[in-house]
Amino acid sequence: KVDPKMFHLVVESEVALGGEGEVQNWQKGLPLGKVSAQADAVLGLSMAFDIGVTLITKKFPPELNIEPKLADLHIDLKEFNLRRVANPTTNLALEGESAKSFGDDMKDNLKAMIKTFELDIKNRANEAIAQSLKEGKGNISAASLFKIAPPAKAKEK
């Protein structure tokens, strides 16, 4: 709790991903080559939200107005394991330890590339939050709060 009307919430998570892709290069309608790859990764995500909370008492029943804003976002490539890199046309491939070594060399470049997207992701998230609030999805009625509140414990005598 920052002050009576503002809270600070930090959410940290990790996600394990597996994927594959193919990149094709073309020039003037002619294929120049393509490369396919398979990799596993673990991404760490840290988000800090500033959440404004206001009780609107001019309505009955009162509503709780919540205005979240993503204040800070960090994405970290924690693990990267390149399993296979191949040219599908020639069937030349790097697999096993060779692919892993190549992937280790790429890891720092991938981390830097991910960092370049952080600000854009943060801005898009805040745009989505603003749009959601504009559509009226940021208000919670008092009746809704009572429905989700845990039941009161009986007092012992």
Side-chain angles (χ1 to χ4, degrees), residues 70-147:
L70 181 56
D72 199 20
L73 171 81
H74 293 287
I75 303 171
D76 184 31
L77 179 62
K78 294 187 173 221
E79 294 177 26
F80 181 71
N81 180 23
L82 187 61
R83 289 183 279 128
R84 185 172 199 272
V85 179
N87 179 332
T89 307
T90 63
N91 256 352
L92 293 174
L94 288 176
E95 295 180 304
E97 284 303 313
S98 298
K100 185 178 180 335
S101 176
F102 184 65
D104 290 344
D105 293 341
M106 291 176 52
K107 187 175 179 180
D108 289 336
N109 291 332
L110 288 170
K111 277 186 172 190
M113 188 172 71
I114 289 169
K115 289 290 178 199
T116 64
F117 290 107
E118 282 182 348
L119 182 59
D120 188 44
I121 293 169
K122 177 183 163 189
N123 290 338
R124 287 176 186 236
N126 278 321
E127 287 171 10
I129 291 168
Q131 182 64 33
S132 179
L133 292 172
K134 187 177 177 182
E135 293 171 358
K137 297 179 181 173
N139 295 334
I140 300 173
S141 70
S144 298
L145 290 174
F146 285 123
K147 287 179 186 175

Side-chain angles (χ1 to χ4, degrees), residues 3-77:
D3 62 46
K5 294 185 178 185
M6 182 69 67
F7 291 85
H8 189 72
L9 172 70
V10 176
V11 178
E12 293 186 357
S13 64
E14 286 187 356
V15 62
L17 305 167
E20 59 184 81
E22 183 176 278
V23 176
Q24 298 181 9
N25 290 319
W26 294 74
Q27 188 172 24
K28 298 182 182 181
L30 298 173
L32 298 177
K34 57 186 170 181
V35 174
S36 66
Q38 297 172 346
D40 298 317
V42 175
L43 291 176
L45 178 64
S46 175
M47 298 179 289
F49 291 90
D50 289 331
I51 304 170
V53 179
T54 310
L55 184 63
I56 302 170
T57 57
K58 293 180 182 180
K59 294 181 177 182
F60 187 80
E63 287 185 349
L64 187 62
N65 187 34
I66 299 174
E67 295 184 26
K69 180 179 180 193
L70 181 56
D72 199 20
L73 171 81
H74 293 287
I75 303 171
D76 184 31
L77 179 62

